[in-house]
Amino acid sequence: MGRWTGSGQGRWTPLLAVLFLMVLVAGIAHIPRGAPVLAATVDFPLEGLIALVAGDVCNLRAGPGTSHRVTGRVTRGDRLTVLGARAGWVNVQHDDGPAAWIAGWLVEIDLTPRRAVAVVERANVNMRSGPGLDHPVVGRTDRGNRYPARLLRGEWVQVVAGEGTAWIWLPLVSLHAGPPTGAPSTGAPPAGGPTAGAPGTGAPPGAGVAPGAEPAGGPAGSAVPVPGGSPGLSPGFPAGMLVYPAGTKTIVRRSAVPDAEPVGTITVGNPGRYLGTREGWVRLETGDGARGWVPGGEVRMEWPHDRRIYSRVGPALWEMGSYRTATVTARNVNFRAGPGLGYRVLTRLGRGDTLRVVGTSGAWIQGVSPRGTVGWVAAWLTGGVRAPRDAFRISVEGDERSRLLSISGGFSSATVLPLEGGNCLAVRTSSPLAARGALGVGTYEFDYISVAGSEVRVFLREQASYRVLGNERGRLVLEFRPVVSAVSLEAGDNGEVLTIRTVGYARPQATRNGERVEVFLPGAGPDPALAAPRAGGAAGGVQGDGVGGAAGGGPGSGTGSVPGAVPRPGLVTGVDLRTGAEGVTLSASTLPGVTFRVEKGANAIRVRFSPPGLRGKTVVIDPGHGGEDTGARGPTGLLEKHVNWEMCWRLAQSLQSRGAKVILTRYGDSSAQPPADWTGEGDDYEGELSWRAAWSRGADLFVSVHNDYYPARSVQGTTTYVTPGTLNGAESRRLAGLVQEEVVGALGTLSRGVQEAEYYVTRKARCPAVLVELMYVSNPREESFLRQEATQWRAAHAILRALERYCGAPTAQAPPQPEGPPVPRP
């Protein structure tokens, strides 16, 4: 080793340099003139692929190098058609303009049309979160491993690994085209496409940090790839959809509630990454990495691999189809913020610019400009709205009674086939639809719908019942309605369980009428087998066709008892079933004082009946706030979190003395803790509130205790809140009325009544749930009362009496509610 040190090193350096240059020249000599520099690692042509501009403002040049003159500029998100590649530069065409060159690291080339596969050629190779050495290592891989390749950016390739994506230096892999077949067999579009606007955070599961063979330097520029997978996506939903605001900007909220806390925004230039759809809301990840929800009506969604396709989400309509277009026929046309001359000018359009039409209003057209801006243009300055020749449309429209699935396009006939054990429906058209994409529904029985050529797949959240309403040239319509297939009554934990089996989505509406509990299923019809006695103590079975059973011609009318549904006398003394044009109603007669709660599962509704009294019941008590979340602060410094805990601790003691099982969501001054088996819902708000609501699983009652705040210190009183529209909404309201009555009578406060609110814990609780604001910490008089131990005990006993009355336990008559200001107490 000594000869390589000191002066010896100086003698060897010139010789090594000469040898290196000789090898370099020899290597260059073997590259044919004009051939892509990637020819050694990419065995398929790049011509015809789409490249999405990843830089903010990028030059187009006359040749492959910065010494060539600038011939134009493009901005982030522009789509370019690839004509070839050379020496790190990509030959492209923008719209119908002339061919030009752009630096390879400024564009992301979509490899999915080639069904490309990356094969690792070296051992111990690093996988990074982005295309460059400045991005962190998220895992490692070894020689021979194969990954689907999605994007090519400069000398880096993005691959799909596990549930996410990662980037590998291109010289360490070889890229091969997949079989030259049509659409993937799953009916799903390619997993993503060239994207922009969000940081790359996807990583292969379990990936570690290890050294790997990489170049000493990397290409210039920074990357903004979108991860290819997410635990928030429905299983199998193809990744890559981008979410844009319907206008210029949309606020992203922490949960799917109109007034929920904002967590970020999305703009035209910085869209979000689609994560899921639920009940008319879209879940996404912003470019800053924040996850949240936006109303479906405030956004539009597109697949980067084909921006001719739109997706829309609403409270009653889910739609995917081909954009209509409008071409500007005049020069220097104003593109405005609204449909009229009084709206501000966003930008200007030129003759020949083509808009993707979003909507119309009178003589104005709303569209998406070639640059991605959404605005309005006067219709008389365009050639009118036109539909493409290969237009298609897929939609789901309806409500809790029935849903219509419509598919239209250039086909002459269509067939419907159930797949995957009834959880997927395949519609095969005689001619392919000019689309590869998907539509997230996340409501009723539908999870999402994908289209790839001649096959449309409907992925279901539960087995569905449908019938064909129309199947004619260019249009197929299916109607989805539930069928009641079986009813049974069995003993359960501390009570009895009435189980209603359905084929198809059915959302129950449960109400109490004296000692009868009525469960109404909108739009449902009975299976014919329910009309005849069945052995084994259960009623009904499923017959017919469709996915798991057909709707059997729609509901009839009639009434009668359900044979075998009541095997023995107990809490439930009888069950009747009534059918009509609006749906099916099951009426359960109960003993006095029996309580119930409703649970909804896949193809099953369970009504759990419990005996009178608190003994044996599980009650969740939720002391609001806690830990770093202090809640409201009174004029003299009283913290809401402390007084909430004091009242809840006393309430828990009283409930336990009555034989109830009590669950406190937090203890002392700590924050809330999740249940031991809590794993999160994946597609919902993942903070502390979800932990509190999770304790309601299997519970009989949920009470969240708070004390209110208002800037005007004179405001005072007691309010009890419920969330309407939940499965147990009617019983929650009954409980809220009792809590309000008892608390006001015990504390002498001003009654502000029972009010509706979309509080997370009352909306997500799985049982009857209320949130009570006992007093106003901001009011000096009420703050002084809240400091007193006697007030804390009175509040706890008042809630206890309300729970006893709700559960049918004998109790003294409730005190009358005072009218007017609260009565001062010593």
Side-chain angles (χ1 to χ4, degrees), residues 44 161 187 275 348 366 482 505:
F44 54 84
L275 296 179
R348 297 186 190 277
Q366 185 184 29
Y505 173 89

Side-chain angles (χ1 to χ4, degrees), residues 799-816:
I799 298 174
L800 173 66
R801 285 193 299 272
L803 296 176
E804 286 179 324
R805 291 175 62 192
Y806 175 85
C807 293
T811 183
Q813 184 176 0

Side-chain angles (χ1 to χ4, degrees), residues 579-718:
T579 65
E582 297 300 316
V584 171
T585 301
L586 282 93
S587 297
S589 301
T590 69
L591 296 177
V594 170
T595 58
F596 75 95
R597 72 177 190 274
V598 182
E599 299 173 352
K600 171 73 173 76
N603 297 113
I605 296 161
R606 293 178 175 84
V607 186
R608 298 188 180 274
F609 296 92
S610 299
L614 286 170
R615 182 169 299 279
K617 286 189 170 60
T618 300
V619 182
V620 179
I621 304 299
D622 174 40
H625 309 283
E628 296 182 358
D629 179 10
T630 62
R633 181 185 295 269
T636 64
L638 178 64
L639 297 181
E640 181 193 355
K641 66 174 183 176
H642 292 322
V643 68
N644 292 349
W645 163 252
E646 292 296 334
M647 292 175 175
C648 289
W649 175 73
R650 289 167 171 78
L651 175 58
Q653 288 184 308
S654 301
L655 283 169
Q656 288 174 339
S657 69
R658 303 301 198 275
K661 176 185 176 181
V662 179
I663 297 174
L664 284 161
T665 62
R666 69 176 178 92
Y667 286 85
D669 191 23
S670 65
S671 300
Q673 298 297 319
D677 59 347
W678 185 85
T679 57
E681 298 185 20
D683 64 342
D684 208 347
Y685 167 54
E686 299 162 357
E688 186 179 309
L689 292 179
S690 62
W691 302 346
R692 298 173 188 260
W695 286 106
S696 67
R697 299 173 185 173
D700 296 283
L701 297 166
F702 183 99
V703 180
S704 186
V705 176
H706 289 252
N707 284 276
D708 221 333
Y709 176 87
Y710 196 76
R713 293 187 176 184
S714 61
V715 176
Q716 57 187 312
T718 299

Side-chain angles (χ1 to χ4, degrees), residues 88-260:
W89 288 73
V90 182
N91 192 203
V92 297
Q93 185 177 31
H94 183 215
D95 295 334
D96 295 327
W101 293 83
I102 188 170
W105 61 85
L106 297 178
V107 294
E108 292 175 345
I109 301 175
D110 180 12
L111 301 177
T112 53
R114 299 286 189 265
R115 305 185 71 185
V117 175
V119 180
V120 180
E121 302 293 349
R122 298 280 296 275
N124 203 24
V125 171
N126 282 340
M127 306 175 76
R128 296 184 177 269
S129 66
L133 295 176
D134 54 333
H135 293 274
V137 174
V138 296
R140 62 177 177 177
T141 186
D142 277 308
R143 186 192 309 274
N145 287 339
R146 302 168 63 89
Y147 302 94
R150 294 179 56 206
L151 303 175
L152 185 64
R153 180 166 179 177
E155 291 188 330
W156 293 81
V157 60
Q158 186 192 56
V159 300
V160 178
E163 295 296 324
T165 61
W167 292 80
I168 305 175
W169 189 43
L170 190 58
L172 303 180
V173 300
S174 59
L175 288 179
H176 307 276
T181 60
S185 60
T186 61
T195 52
T201 56
V209 177
E214 285 182 330
S222 59
V224 282
V226 173
S230 166
L233 290 173
S234 301
F237 190 97
M241 182 182 282
L242 299 181
V243 184
Y244 294 86
T248 58
K249 181 175 70 173
T250 297
I251 297 175
V252 181
R253 300 189 179 277
R254 186 174 297 279
S255 58
V257 179
D259 297 327

